[in-house]
Amino acid sequence: HSNREMWFRDFFPANMCPINAKADTFYGIMFDAGSTGTRIHIYTFVQKSPENLPELEGEIFESVKPGLSAYADQPEKGAETVKRLLDMAIDAVPPHLWKTTPVVLKATAGLRLLSEEKAQALLLEVREVFEESPFLVPEDSVSIMDGSYEGILAWITVNFLTGQLSGQNQHTVGTLDLGGASTQITFLPRFEETFKETPGDFLTSFEMFNSTYKLYTHSYLGFGLKAARLATLGALNMEAVDGQMFRSSCLPKQLEAEWHFGGVKYRYGGNKEGETGFEPCYLEVLKVVKGKLHQPDEIRGSSFYAFSYYYDRAVDTNLIDYEQGGVLEVKDFERKAKEVCDNMERYNSASPFLCMDLTYITALLKEGFGFRDNTLLQLTKKVNNIETSWTLGATFHLLQSLGLTY
Ligand SMILES: O=c1ccn([C@@H]2O[C@H](COP(=O)(O)OP(=O)(O)O)[C@@H](O)[C@H]2O)c(=O)[nH]1
Ligand SMILES: [Ca+2]
């Protein structure tokens, strides 16, 4: 394969151009086509010596909203948003490295929920944008990612960035990702019992950096924050019902509004006459999660890294600082949910969904996954200035498949 040969020629240059100081820097471009937005991550690596692994030097990150799935009926317009982000890479990567810099896009739950036909049309248009760019386009460079990879690759990213994948004493941490349309839980089981009690499709072996990790991971489609809003409203998979009003005790009493998600328009509002507040809202949300998720015993006492909407909602309610992140207990989300839901008038400048979102997060953690009230959550957006996203793990995986790292 000629592309592959090019990789080797340019990335193992030690014996060809030994004193070329710049030749040891290379790049990888990974797109995250999420349900609520599309993001580009341009990673820089430096190969300090031929016998060592390349080191991650930095990241350029940019994002646009909405996500590709909002362009389900205009795939060319969707691909245009990818092209604009890719133009950033033209500026960021030196021209002589363009043809050896791989570009890959992986789509998550937003595209998983579209019809096969619409999803493939979007991917095809994106593939054309890639082919027209000067970058290296590997096989399968544009695809819908399997949900189990989404969890594993985020776990790899977080544990790599926190230094847990190198050296002898590896104390890996579990990860919780709450997207718009799906949610992932991933950890490395410590107890033999966990392997015995877990359904086979929740366990995956994964090779990275010369180690094999047997991970517990699962992606719950339809359990992302925005999908959960629709489920709570009773509107999930209801696109046929035109103009119907969906009401919830989790919304401000007088609210009536419209909301677009995944190319569908929904009308929603508060319980004008009936109840509102945390108690009735919790019961509503409970119906969405109770008994729907696998609860591994082992996680009850352990702490997890949490990001995406866990992070965003904790920031919105001043539970953590946007720049710093922080450590929370599960019960902190519950306390905030009560505060917001029982005083909705006071929070009406924020999103009308704030009460529902916080209540859902509380129910998902406690009744869904089975975490304790005092389970610790490390909320993190960046580690050493690198985004805690599955995209870094995916880029390592890509470099590995291209023979650049092991
Ligand atoms: O690089 C990223 C990508 C996503 N998110 C967060 O992930 C959530 C949205 O999830 P997404 O659109 O990826 O939905 P999914 O397709 O994963 O369900 C929001 O909280 C975003 O702020 C983030 O913080 N950084
Ligand atoms: Ca995501």
Side-chain angles (χ1 to χ4, degrees):
H1 195 276
S2 66
N3 282 345
R4 193 164 285 196
E5 278 157 25
M6 248 173 337
W7 266 97
F8 282 101
R9 200 186 59 212
D10 281 33
F11 291 127
F12 292 101
N15 38 11
M16 286 177 240
C17 44
I19 339 181
N20 186 345
K22 275 280 155 220
D24 56 6
T25 296
F26 63 97
Y27 295 80
I29 307 168
M30 185 63 62
F31 278 90
D32 165 9
S35 68
T36 69
T38 303
R39 306 108 194 174
I40 186 171
H41 301 253
I42 306 165
Y43 296 106
T44 312
F45 298 89
V46 179
Q47 180 91 45
K48 295 214 164 130
S49 63
E51 64 274 9
N52 284 324
L53 277 173
E55 286 175 28
L56 174 64
E57 198 179 58
E59 175 190 34
I60 296 171
F61 172 75
E62 192 54 71
S63 62
V64 293
K65 282 180 180 177
L68 276 185
S69 45
Y71 300 93
D73 298 314
Q74 304 150 283
E76 279 177 43
K77 254 185 99 182
E80 185 60 34
T81 66
V82 171
K83 182 169 187 323
R84 279 201 298 277
L85 287 172
L86 193 56
D87 284 342
M88 284 190 55
I90 301 268
D91 295 332
V93 180
H96 73 284
L97 293 179
W98 284 349
K99 69 175 193 300
T100 49
T101 298
V103 58
V104 166
L105 175 142
K106 293 183 185 297
T108 54
L111 258 66
R112 284 181 209 134
L113 286 170
L114 287 184
S115 70
E116 173 79 13
E117 199 183 346
K118 290 186 177 181
Q120 288 307 323
L122 280 162
L123 297 180
L124 194 72
E125 292 293 337
V126 171
R127 170 116 200 157
E128 266 174 35
V129 166
F130 283 7
E131 296 287 0
E132 283 161 15
S133 83
F135 298 109
L136 171 64
V137 185
E139 251 170 76
D140 291 327
S141 64
V142 182
S143 63
I144 298 178
M145 180 166 45
D146 187 274
S148 61
Y149 273 92
E150 200 175 348
I152 291 170
L153 296 170
W155 184 91
I156 293 277
T157 297
V158 168
N159 285 287
F160 169 83
L161 290 175
T162 55
Q164 300 307 324
L165 299 186
S166 54
Q168 291 303 305
N169 276 319
Q170 302 190 352
H171 290 288
T172 61
V173 287
T175 52
L176 295 169
D177 184 353
L178 180 58
S182 74
T183 189
Q184 289 76 242
I185 176 169
T186 309
F187 65 97
L188 183 74
R190 287 182 298 151
F191 304 125
E192 203 47 49
E193 278 296 295
T194 305
F195 291 107
K196 284 199 203 119
E197 286 165 5
T198 301
D201 56 340
F202 284 64
L203 298 169
T204 312
S205 280
F206 193 78
E207 247 173 81
M208 182 57 65
F209 307 130
N210 250 357
S211 297
T212 303
Y213 299 97
K214 195 165 184 198
L215 298 176
Y216 175 109
T217 189
H218 196 74
S219 177
Y220 293 93
L221 188 59
F223 286 79
L225 191 72
K226 300 206 162 177
R229 289 179 182 175
L230 292 179
T232 304
L233 287 165
L236 200 63
N237 308 319
M238 295 277 286
E239 48 182 301
V241 188
D242 231 19
Q244 185 181 341
M245 185 71 163
F246 296 100
R247 297 192 178 274
S248 166
S249 62
C250 307
L251 295 168
K253 257 189 189 325
Q254 300 303 326
L255 178 80
E256 289 195 352
E258 276 179 0
W259 185 43
H260 294 255
F261 189 67
V264 181
K265 187 176 80 181
Y266 301 91
R267 292 180 65 221
Y268 64 93
N271 269 351
K272 259 205 180 69
E273 323 281 287
E275 284 186 298
T276 22
F278 180 76
E279 287 299 328
C281 175
Y282 197 73
L283 290 177
E284 259 182 60
V285 168
L286 218 47
K287 287 188 207 136
V288 175
V289 293
K290 190 125 186 129
K292 304 279 176 62
L293 290 84
H294 181 250
Q295 301 190 337
D297 279 339
E298 169 173 345
I299 65 168
R300 295 175 55 76
S302 45
S303 60
F304 271 68
Y305 268 65
F307 35 90
S308 45
Y309 276 122
Y310 294 111
Y311 194 95
D312 297 353
R313 289 301 169 270
V315 169
D316 295 343
T317 51
N318 293 318
L319 281 169
I320 56 166
D321 174 75
Y322 175 77
E323 295 294 335
Q324 307 288 315
V327 180
L328 294 179
E329 289 179 343
V330 166
K331 64 168 175 274
D332 292 321
F333 277 113
E334 180 163 0
R335 179 171 49 80
K336 264 300 172 199
K338 285 179 178 157
E339 194 180 312
V340 172
C341 293
D342 292 338
N343 300 280
M344 275 198 257
E345 347 46 84
R346 227 201 296 155
Y347 288 89
N348 65 2
S349 59
S351 159
F353 283 105
L354 192 56
C355 158
M356 192 187 284
D357 289 353
L358 290 167
T359 305
Y360 175 65
I361 287 174
T362 303
L364 178 66
L365 292 171
K366 289 177 56 162
E367 307 289 338
F369 296 127
F371 285 113
R372 287 196 203 125
D373 279 336
N374 64 352
T375 298
L376 292 179
L377 303 173
Q378 171 75 52
L379 292 156
T380 314
K381 192 162 199 68
K382 290 187 179 201
V383 179
N384 298 332
N385 225 20
I386 308 285
E387 299 267 329
T388 50
S389 160
W390 56 259
T391 50
L392 178 61
T395 303
F396 284 133
H397 192 59
L398 171 67
L399 299 182
Q400 183 177 264
S401 74
L402 291 166
L404 238 188
T405 179
Y406 50 79

